[in-house]
Amino acid sequence: MPDLKKRYVPFTYKMMIPYLLLVLLTDVLIGYISYTMLTQSRTEMAETNIRTGMEQARYNIQYQMDEIQRMSDTLFGSVAFQRALQKKGEPLDIYLTMKDEIIPQIVSPLQLFGNNIRFMLYTPNSDMIIINGDNLEEPIKQSDYYILPLRDIEATDWYQLYKNSERNNLWVQIDTDKKLDHISHIRKLVSYSDYGAIIGYVRITVPLDALFGNLATFPVEEGITVRLIHQLTGERVYQRGPAELAEQAELGEQTGGSDAYLRLHEPISGTDFAIETLVPKAYLTKDAGKLQRVILGVCAISFIGMTLIGFMVARLNGRKMTRIVMLVRSFQEGNFQKRIRFSGNDEFVQIAEAFNMMAMNIQELIDSVYLQGIQKKQAELEALQAQINPHFLYNTLSTINSLANLGEIGKVTEMVQGLSRFYRLTLNQGNVHIHLGKELEQVETYLEIQRVKYADAFTVQVDVESEILDYQVIKLILQPFVENVFKHAWFGETIAIRITGRRINNDVELKIIDNGVGMRSEQVRLLMTGPSQTGGYGVRNVDERIKLRYGEAYGVQIASIYGGGTTVRLLLPAGHGDAADTPELPNMPY
C-alpha cells in the first residue's frame, strides 16, 4: 500500500507553454476571421438594402413615367381629340367643342393619376380658347391643366431645339423646372391625316419628389446621398442628402481617389436618366467598432477558459498516460496479463497500482463467472430436459390405467411395449442430443402407442429431406407438439398430421401441421408465455431448451387459424456435429 501522505510534483506544467501559445494563436485567428466575415456580412447587407431601395425608387419612377406616357398616348391616338384641336369657327362652337371633346380627355387622366401634375397643351390653332392654370413660377400644389397658344413658347430655347429634332417623348427640365425641382414630359402631337403636320405640343410636369416616392429606405440622415442624373450630360437633376458627399465624390473622380464612398448606379429604362446613390464607407462599416469589441471580449473569455482547462488537461497528458492507454487497449483486447510499473511519487504511480490490482481482480472474476456460467447453463438444460419425461409418462400411464379398467388387456400390453420402446429411445444412453432420424423414430413410437387407443382415426404423413436425418438435434422436441394434437386439436372423428423437415441455408426447419380445431391468437400467446390449459407447458419447455442451446435466433413459432388447423415451426441450426451434453459457450476472452 503506497504512502498517500507523500508529496508529489506533477510533471505536466512544462506542457502549458506550447498549449497556451496554440490557444492564443487559435483565438487570434478565429477572432480575425470572425471580425472579417461579420464586417463583410454587415457591409453586404447594408449595400443590399440600399440597392433594394434604389430598385424600389426606380420602379416607382418608371411606373409614374409610364402612366404619364399613357396620358399622352391617349391624346395622340384620339382622332376626335385631334379634330377638335384643329377645328376653326365661331367662339361658341369652339367653346362647345373644347367642353365636349378636349377638356374631358385632359381632365380625366389628371383625376386618375396619383400625384399632382400640370398638364399643358400648346396649340397653333388661334381659335382655341386659352385656359390658364396656376402660376407656373410656383411649385405644384394641385393637379391643373392649361391650354396655351404655341406662340408663348416659340421664343424659348428648348422649343427651338426640340421642334427641329426627330426625337419625341422626352423627359427634360425646362423653364422653371430646375428651380422648382420639377421635370417635364414633352411630346409632339401630329395630325392623323398628315404625319408631317404638327398640331400641338403636350407638356406634362411632375415634381421629382413625387416621382421618387417615399425615400424612407434611404437613410440620408446618416450621410447617404441619392440623386437623379442625366446619363449623357452627367447633369444632376435631383438630389437628396448632404451635398458635401456629392462634391467629394466628384472631386475624388477628378483626382482618381474614391475610397471614401461607394457609388451605386441604377438606370431608368426608356429614359436618359439614372438613379445614383453615394454611400460613405463609414456607413457600411459603422458597426465595425462594436463588432471588434465584442469579438475581442469573446476571444479573451475563450483564452482564459481554455487556459484553465489546459491546466487540468495537461496533468493528464504525457508519456506515462500513453503507457496507461496502451494498458487499457490490452484490456480491450482481452489481455489481462500485462502489468505496468512507474517509478516516482506522482499520481501515475497510484493509477498504475490501481490498474494492476483491477486487472488481477478482473482476471479472477472472469475465471469464476465463466465456470459458473457453464455449470448454470448445463444445469438449466438438464432440468428442462428432465421435465419432459415425467410429463409424458404421467399421461401414458393414465391411459393404460383407463384401458386396464375397461379390461382391454391386449391394448394395455401393446401400450406398455410401446412405452418401453419410447423410453429406450428417450434415454439415448444419457445423451441430451439425438439424430433427427432417431427423433422421428421416437415420434413414430409415440404414434404407435396412440394407435392402440385411437385405431385408424388419424393419419400421419412424414415428409423430411433425407440429407438432414443425420443432423444432431435436442431430443424430445417433436413429440410434445404431436401429443398436443391429440389432446387439444382433435374435434371430429378423424384428424390428419403432417411432419415436414427441410434445410434452409444454414438452418433446419421442422413443421408439425394438423387440420384440427385451431386456436385463437390469445391461446397462441398463452402457449408461448407459460403453462395453461391449452398445453403450453410442453411448448414453452421445447422453446426454452432450443434457445438455451442454440441462442435467441432459434426456437418455436406457432401459426393457427381457429377452425382451420395449426402449424408449429421449429428452427434449428444445421450441423453434423457429434452429440454433446455440454452447451456451446463463448471462447475465453484471453
Side-chain angles (χ1 to χ4, degrees), residues 278-299:
L278 301 175
V279 185
K281 289 295 180 67
Y283 171 79
L284 297 176
T285 59
K286 64 179 182 178
D287 293 331
K290 181 179 179 181
L291 291 175
Q292 187 178 36
R293 290 190 296 271
V294 171
I295 292 174
L296 284 175
V298 171
C299 289

Side-chain angles (χ1 to χ4, degrees), residues 171-460:
W171 285 91
V172 294
Q173 280 189 312
I174 55 178
D175 295 336
T176 59
D177 285 348
K178 193 170 187 63
K179 180 180 71 174
L180 299 177
D181 275 340
H182 294 168
I183 191 168
S184 296
H185 172 70
I186 305 297
R187 181 168 190 169
K188 299 175 184 178
L189 290 178
V190 298
S191 173
Y192 70 94
S193 58
D194 181 8
Y195 288 148
I198 296 185
I199 61 174
Y201 289 84
V202 173
R203 175 185 174 186
I204 304 175
T205 302
V206 60
L208 285 168
D209 282 336
L211 281 181
F212 268 84
N214 186 9
L215 293 177
T217 54
F218 296 90
V220 294
E221 67 280 358
E222 296 190 37
I224 293 179
T225 298
V226 184
R227 58 187 186 178
L228 183 69
I229 62 171
H230 197 283
Q231 297 188 88
L232 299 179
T233 64
E235 180 183 4
R236 185 170 65 249
V237 177
Y238 175 80
Q239 179 172 303
R240 285 288 303 275
E244 297 82 9
L245 183 60
E247 295 173 359
Q248 292 176 8
E250 293 172 357
L251 181 61
E253 289 180 347
Q254 295 174 4
T255 59
S258 57
D259 294 336
Y261 67 93
L262 173 68
R263 183 191 295 269
L264 302 176
H265 200 72
E266 186 75 23
I268 301 174
S269 60
T271 70
D272 295 329
F273 300 97
I275 302 172
E276 188 178 75
T277 304
L278 301 175
V279 185
K281 289 295 180 67
Y283 171 79
L284 297 176
T285 59
K286 64 179 182 178
D287 293 331
K290 181 179 179 181
L291 291 175
Q292 187 178 36
R293 290 190 296 271
V294 171
I295 292 174
L296 284 175
V298 171
C299 289
I301 294 173
S302 173
F303 179 78
I304 295 172
M306 294 301 293
T307 300
L308 294 176
I309 294 173
F311 275 102
M312 294 184 292
V313 173
R315 296 171 65 88
L316 304 175
N317 295 329
R319 293 188 301 260
K320 293 184 178 181
M321 180 56 68
T322 302
R323 295 177 62 185
I324 293 175
V325 170
M326 292 176 61
L327 181 64
V328 172
R329 288 177 179 172
S330 297
F331 286 6
Q332 291 175 340
E333 295 169 359
N335 187 349
F336 298 97
Q337 307 300 325
K338 290 185 178 181
R339 298 293 183 265
I340 188 170
R341 296 288 185 269
F342 287 148
S343 61
N345 56 353
D346 59 18
E347 63 270 35
F348 289 98
V349 175
Q350 301 177 39
I351 295 174
E353 293 176 354
F355 261 111
N356 295 336
M357 183 64 68
M358 179 180 66
M360 184 177 64
N361 292 337
I362 290 176
Q363 183 66 65
E364 294 175 355
L365 182 62
I366 286 177
D367 293 342
S368 174
V369 171
Y370 182 77
L371 294 176
Q372 289 178 6
I374 292 176
Q375 296 170 355
K376 180 180 179 182
K377 193 168 185 180
Q378 180 66 23
E380 289 176 352
L381 188 58
E382 291 175 353
L384 290 172
Q385 184 70 43
Q387 291 173 358
I388 287 293
N389 295 331
H391 183 69
F392 169 71
L393 179 62
Y394 172 79
N395 292 333
T396 305
L397 292 177
S398 177
T399 301
I400 292 173
N401 180 61
S402 299
L403 291 174
N405 291 334
L406 295 174
E408 299 287 344
I409 304 302
K411 290 183 179 182
V412 168
T413 301
E414 290 182 19
M415 290 194 71
V416 170
Q417 292 174 348
L419 183 63
S420 174
R421 288 193 302 274
F422 178 87
Y423 271 98
R424 185 166 58 254
L425 292 170
T426 299
L427 290 175
N428 193 30
Q429 297 179 351
N431 294 326
V432 175
H433 298 82
I434 191 172
H435 289 291
L436 179 59
K438 289 290 185 180
E439 178 72 6
L440 291 171
E441 184 180 345
Q442 188 180 50
V443 171
E444 179 61 30
T445 303
Y446 170 79
L447 292 172
E448 289 176 0
I449 296 173
Q450 297 302 320
R451 284 191 182 94
V452 175
K453 180 178 179 181
Y454 296 101
D456 296 327
F458 65 90
T459 61
V460 178

Side-chain angles (χ1 to χ4, degrees), residues 492-509:
E493 295 180 358
T494 62
I495 193 168
I497 304 172
R498 185 167 182 259
I499 301 174
T500 66
R502 61 189 179 121
R503 176 166 180 164
I504 303 176
N505 297 325
N506 294 324
D507 298 327
V508 171
E509 180 190 73

